Amino acid sequence: MEIAHDVVVAFSKSWGLFYLVGFSLCVVAYAYWPGNRKAFTRAKMSVLDTDDRPLGDRPLGPEA
Amino acid sequence: MVRLVSGMTVTERQIALVVLLALSLIGLAMAAGGRGDPMGAQGFVVLVFSVGLAFAVMAGYYAPEPDESRLTRYYDDPTKVGIVLTVIWAVVGMAVGVWVASLLAWPELTFVDQAWASFGRLRPVHTSGVIFGFGGNALIATSFHVLQRTSRARLPDQFTPWFVLIGYNLFCIVAASGYLMGITQSKEYAEPEWYADIWLVIVWVVYFLLYLRTLARRKEPHIYVANWYYMAFILVVAVLHIVNNLAVPVSWGHAKSYSLFSGVQDAMTEWWYGHNAVAFFLTSGFLGMMYYYLPKRAGRPIFSYRLSIISFWGITFFYMWAGSHHLHYTALPQWVQTLGMSFSIMLLVPSWASAGNALATLNGAWHKVRDDAVLRFMMVAAVFYGLSTFEGSFMAIRPVNSLSHYTDWTVGHVHAGALGWVAMITFGSLYALVPWMWKRETMYSPKLIEVHFWLALAGTIVYVFAMWNSGIIQGLMWRTYNDGGTLAYSFLDSVEAMHPYYIARAFGGLLFLSGAVVCASNVWLTIRAAQRERRGETGTDVPIVAGAMQAGE
């Protein structure tokens, strides 16, 4: 039990740090990736769209 | 009722009846197997609930099927019912809150000499009533709305959202009625016993699958950030709930169970759950609400979409480790306490990023904030979110915690978050959402929104200041030594010193409750006005039933 506890502590104190730093870098890279800019701007503006209907999946007209 | 059932296809009505039948059989089995135990009474609650609903479904069973044109609209009936339930739970939960606050100020107020009316049983009815009843229903109702709009897709079917909403409320009712009977597993914010916990897992998994199924049908390539927050709320609450409630019941017929954890492991698991309940129930989902309704109401896009993404991952990954700050100076290893403390301080970054993002969105629209009480609710919510996350990080620092822990400061902090942030953003979002849902220009009375806003703000400020004062006085009295090296004040001295603050707190709570009652009447009047308008419209037109039947055939 003693060893298990020490191992967990050592692991979280070393690898835990690197994993969080690495993870943060990935998140920042994703957020600032130039290729994502268009999708983000579109998402940001899409909320303000006033059309209150789902897109597509429209059934055929009533006569069908 | 019939109208709500008529929104479901006949197959879905049949599924609903089968599920309700199965549920009533479970209720019957609980009532029979648990006779002589509080579980028997809980069984009757389940039985009455499911049989009552089955009658409602049967009443609408022969209503004409909804026609195909429904697929060109979003499915909002569950959101509407969810809004009504939210408002009902708000009034009930906050009323019990004022009741228990009054009991603290005037203990002789226990006018019913019954076990159920004691503080210990009423207090979880208040906490669960406002967190799960009010907060949970608000999250479910708004998430269905936001999910459909941001995905530009209708919910995949008409049965699942009802199962989630109604099933969740069954959990809330079983929990609250159980507390009054004395059923609790003594874990804060996780009081319901094993059978209620299992039921919630089922409901919650269906909720998550419903979210995924709708997202799979989305017509927008990118998933809007509000949905990330809602999904983190659903997913993480499931994980927390399952792990923290691992327990072995005494027998199938007993309400009592024993936790799988004991001692300091139990405490750590409970506060890993407890603090993440604050994070993912009371923060993440409500941030989702904020990131949709605030830009929508202000008519301005969110200030920085990138920042919202960075703060999302910050909140999700930092909060997970912060729970141990609830266990400073305990048997918990020192390094785990320090870990919780460090992560709590780091949390300030993503928290303030969100609060700042919200306020920066309003920058340039301050005239709207001045004129529109709905937007003001959201603005105040963002301010209180910033304040209480700063306070939380501060209180997590070990030496600060030595003063604040076990005092009313904690209670004040929780209510700065719950009243100032969670309830304010919810009321703001509801006032924006209700007119959209019932197809009206505005709420019935914009004046009443204004009244509600000031009642809510005044109530929050009175409450929070009362508890700050009370808490710090308590903390200081408990650590004041006299020349002889012994404590200068007895515990009772500190209880007496709190009395005026407890009266102030009950008054602040009463103000906040009055605001909620004003909100409930405003919502009710809006719905009634909308229904009258609709009746007026259909009265002059062709009979709607005949038309619908033709389309269904």
Side-chain angles (χ1 to χ4, degrees), chain B residues 75-109:
Chain B
Y75 189 46
D76 290 330
D77 286 350
T79 302
K80 290 181 177 177
V81 174
I83 291 170
V84 173
L85 290 169
T86 304
V87 175
I88 293 173
W89 275 107
V91 173
V92 173
M94 290 172 198
V96 180
V98 175
W99 185 356
V100 289
S102 312
L103 280 179
L104 285 174
W106 304 283
E108 64 277 14
L109 209 69

Side-chain angles (χ1 to χ4, degrees), chain A residues 1 5 8-9 12-13 16 19-20 23-24 27-28 30-34 36-37 39-60, chain B residues 68-69 71-74 76 149-150 152-154 217 219-222 224 228 291-292 295-296 299-306 309-310 313 317-318 321 333 335 343 346 439:
Chain A
M1 202 60 208
H5 178 254
V8 172
V9 172
S12 58
K13 280 182 179 175
Y19 132 82
L20 263 181
F23 182 80
S24 320
V27 169
V28 173
Y30 170 73
Y32 283 90
W33 204 260
N36 289 335
R37 175 187 278 271
F40 291 165
T41 312
R42 186 187 146 84
K44 181 173 162 170
M45 302 308 293
S46 70
V47 173
L48 303 178
D49 202 330
T50 45
D51 180 24
D52 201 36
R53 273 169 185 277
L55 280 181
D57 284 343
R58 299 263 161 97
L60 300 167
Chain B
E68 286 292 301
S69 75
L71 300 176
T72 63
R73 293 183 301 271
Y74 294 120
D76 290 330
R149 267 62 183 188
T150 52
R152 306 293 303 271
R154 186 183 155 98
R217 297 157 50 91
K219 293 292 177 298
E220 286 285 339
H222 176 78
Y224 185 67
W228 303 21
Y291 277 118
Y292 182 80
K296 192 88 182 160
R300 299 163 66 83
I302 195 77
F303 169 71
S304 167
Y305 194 80
R306 287 163 168 167
I309 291 174
I310 295 173
W313 289 112
F317 272 73
F318 289 172
W321 304 94
W335 72 270
F343 272 87
M346 281 149 63
K439 310 267 184 285

Side-chain angles (χ1 to χ4, degrees), chain B residues 315-387:
Chain B
I315 281 175
T316 351
F317 272 73
F318 289 172
Y319 255 120
M320 271 294 158
W321 304 94
S324 55
H325 71 227
H326 285 260
L327 299 166
H328 282 329
Y329 302 102
T330 64
L332 193 74
Q334 184 86 352
W335 72 270
V336 186
Q337 298 176 25
T338 311
L339 183 82
M341 178 173 108
S342 325
F343 272 87
S344 306
I345 296 167
M346 281 149 63
L347 260 174
L348 193 57
V349 177
S351 303
W352 274 25
S354 288
N357 211 350
L359 293 175
T361 304
L362 294 174
N363 201 13
W366 293 114
H367 60 285
K368 285 189 188 169
V369 178
R370 184 193 60 205
D371 297 338
D372 180 10
V374 178
L375 207 51
R376 226 180 302 133
F377 263 109
M378 299 181 190
M379 191 272 295
V380 168
V383 171
F384 268 100
Y385 179 60
L387 284 177

Side-chain angles (χ1 to χ4, degrees), chain B residues 151-400:
Chain B
S151 305
R152 306 293 303 271
R154 186 183 155 98
L155 293 172
D157 67 275
Q158 284 82 224
F159 168 73
T160 320
W162 287 117
F163 179 80
V164 173
L165 182 73
I166 304 291
Y168 179 73
N169 278 278
L170 173 62
F171 164 79
C172 292
I173 290 171
V174 167
S177 58
Y179 303 153
L180 294 176
M181 287 184 264
I183 300 172
T184 172
Q185 54 179 7
S186 308
K187 282 175 173 250
E188 200 169 14
Y189 313 127
E191 290 93 349
E193 272 291 358
W194 60 276
Y195 48 90
D197 292 338
I198 292 173
W199 174 245
L200 185 62
V201 172
I202 296 170
V203 170
W204 219 247
V205 169
V206 174
Y207 187 16
F208 190 62
L209 290 177
L210 175 64
Y211 225 90
L212 291 183
R213 283 163 63 206
T214 313
L215 282 177
R217 297 157 50 91
R218 76 182 185 278
K219 293 292 177 298
E220 286 285 339
H222 176 78
I223 302 174
Y224 185 67
V225 74
N227 290 317
W228 303 21
Y229 282 99
Y230 277 119
M231 272 171 75
F233 144 67
I234 304 170
L235 183 66
V236 179
V237 166
V239 174
L240 299 167
H241 173 76
I242 292 172
V243 174
N244 189 42
N245 287 304
L246 289 174
V248 182
V250 172
S251 79
W252 289 111
H254 277 78
K256 176 97 193 105
S257 69
Y258 287 92
S259 174
L260 227 57
F261 310 102
S262 62
V264 76
Q265 280 89 352
D266 184 40
M268 185 61 247
T269 312
E270 158 61 16
W271 285 109
W272 167 76
Y273 163 87
H275 198 76
N276 281 309
V278 177
F280 290 93
F281 209 100
L282 295 176
T283 302
S284 181
F286 291 92
L287 282 173
M289 222 184 254
M290 187 186 83
Y291 277 118
Y292 182 80
Y293 293 103
L294 179 88
K296 192 88 182 160
R297 183 74 187 187
R300 299 163 66 83
I302 195 77
F303 169 71
S304 167
Y305 194 80
R306 287 163 168 167
L307 195 57
S308 70
I309 291 174
I310 295 173
S311 41
F312 170 81
W313 289 112
I315 281 175
T316 351
F317 272 73
F318 289 172
Y319 255 120
M320 271 294 158
W321 304 94
S324 55
H325 71 227
H326 285 260
L327 299 166
H328 282 329
Y329 302 102
T330 64
L332 193 74
Q334 184 86 352
W335 72 270
V336 186
Q337 298 176 25
T338 311
L339 183 82
M341 178 173 108
S342 325
F343 272 87
S344 306
I345 296 167
M346 281 149 63
L347 260 174
L348 193 57
V349 177
S351 303
W352 274 25
S354 288
N357 211 350
L359 293 175
T361 304
L362 294 174
N363 201 13
W366 293 114
H367 60 285
K368 285 189 188 169
V369 178
R370 184 193 60 205
D371 297 338
D372 180 10
V374 178
L375 207 51
R376 226 180 302 133
F377 263 109
M378 299 181 190
M379 191 272 295
V380 168
V383 171
F384 268 100
Y385 179 60
L387 284 177
S388 49
T389 47
F390 172 76
E391 190 187 24
S393 298
F394 183 60
M395 289 166 83
I397 299 169
R398 202 163 20 220
V400 179

